[in-house]
Amino acid sequence: MARVHPTAIVDPAAELADSVEVGPYTIVGAKVRVGDGTSIGAHCVIEGPTTIGRDNRIAPYCALGGAPQDKKYAGEPTELVIGDGNTIREYCNFNRGTVQDAGATRIGDDNWIMANVHIAHDCRVGSHVVMANYSGLAGHVHLGDWAIVGGLSGVHQFCRVGAHVMIGHSTAVSQDVPPFMLVNGNPATARGFNAEGLRRRGFDAERIAGVKRMHRLLYRDGLTVEQAREAIDRLGREQPASAADAELMSGFLARVTRGIVR
């Protein structure tokens, strides 16, 4: 049976796995499901429909699963889905989705989300992401695996941020950020590629050289995005070590609608 502090309020319609812990003065609403090993700190409010997976650590004062901050929202049954193994620190605020999108805000696995982070309606956050203090994602943002968002940074609604991106602190992102890139500033500017992050993730010298070449094609050779994409496709065919990374980059560029950070 879940260990619920006597001062907490858990709706009878909530579903808590036996090893869940709920701290003092926390409120868990109906249509909330929480998986094994997850702990919820004091003074949290979790509204449904919300699904939280296994082995998450939710610090005090978080507000999860609240209605989207969207004037079009009219009470439709949307949801928040959080995966496994996430650390969610104090005062985080994650909203449910809207029917104008897929109806769900989704957060993956093994993310490190620091204090006072806001994740708005219909966002898609991958896995192994780091979001530093006071950073935020506006509605409909897609954030790729292994991305890092620096403190006090914000991402404009409908933007897409690729895998392995590093966003520096106090950055304003209003266009798409291709995978592997390093950006900062207001407005965000591409400063290079995330070489150190790739090394830490086990990219060897040949793969890093391929990413460096993709960066040059996008930002140094005077090509349009479509021309750069064609050249990246050739790179993937000619250099097998870069094939998967080139495919990731090419697929991202094919779906760009807001232009890319320059």
Side-chain angles (χ1 to χ4, degrees):
M1 184 173 181
R3 290 166 44 183
V4 178
H5 192 274
T7 61
I9 300 172
V10 177
D11 192 286
E15 300 178 25
L16 307 184
D18 288 345
S19 55
V20 169
E21 297 181 12
V22 180
Y25 301 102
T26 282
I27 299 173
V28 179
K31 300 182 181 178
V32 173
R33 294 186 295 167
V34 184
D36 284 316
T38 289
S39 64
I40 303 169
H43 296 277
C44 293
V45 177
I46 303 179
E47 302 176 60
T50 290
T51 301
I52 300 173
R54 301 171 58 94
D55 300 320
N56 295 283
R57 297 291 176 265
I58 301 170
Y61 301 103
C62 289
L64 307 179
Q69 296 179 88
D70 187 324
K71 289 185 176 180
K72 297 186 297 299
Y73 182 69
E76 300 91 349
T78 59
E79 64 178 336
L80 168 68
V81 179
I82 299 173
D84 302 330
N86 296 287
T87 295
I88 301 169
R89 293 302 300 265
E90 297 82 0
Y91 295 100
C92 286
N93 176 15
F94 306 165
N95 296 158
R96 300 194 311 274
T98 66
V99 295
Q100 285 75 31
D101 200 316
T105 301
R106 296 187 181 275
I107 297 168
D109 304 327
D110 299 310
N111 297 302
W112 184 261
I113 301 176
M114 300 185 198
N116 294 277
V117 166
H118 173 62
I119 298 178
H121 58 87
D122 302 294
C123 286
R124 302 288 186 273
V125 176
S127 296
H128 311 290
V129 163
V130 175
M131 294 186 67
N133 301 319
Y134 295 98
S135 60
L137 308 179
H140 313 279
V141 167
H142 289 197
L143 186 63
D145 295 344
W146 300 102
I148 298 175
V149 182
L152 299 166
S153 295
V155 182
H156 191 280
Q157 59 261 37
F158 294 101
C159 283
R160 296 169 58 248
V161 177
H164 304 286
V165 162
M166 171 70 180
I167 298 173
H169 71 86
S170 304
T171 295
V173 176
S174 57
Q175 292 180 293
D176 292 353
V177 184
F180 312 111
M181 295 303 121
L182 173 63
V183 303
N184 76 340
N186 185 0
T189 301
R191 306 294 183 181
F193 68 98
N194 188 16
E196 182 58 32
L198 299 182
R199 290 189 191 98
R200 292 181 182 184
R201 281 164 219 138
F203 280 55
D204 61 22
E206 192 172 7
R207 285 185 73 186
I208 291 175
V211 173
K212 183 177 182 179
R213 178 59 182 155
M214 288 191 284
H215 170 263
R216 183 173 184 85
L217 290 167
L218 275 172
Y219 291 103
R220 297 288 184 264
D221 287 355
L223 304 177
T224 66
V225 170
E226 186 55 36
Q227 289 169 337
R229 183 182 169 221
E230 292 171 359
I232 288 166
D233 286 339
R234 288 196 298 273
L235 173 70
R237 292 192 297 270
E238 295 166 1
Q239 298 185 16
S242 297
D245 300 328
E247 183 179 5
L248 175 66
M249 178 67 81
S250 180
F252 183 95
L253 296 175
R255 297 188 298 275
V256 165
T257 59
R258 298 182 57 83
I260 64 171
V261 166
R262 290 291 192 179

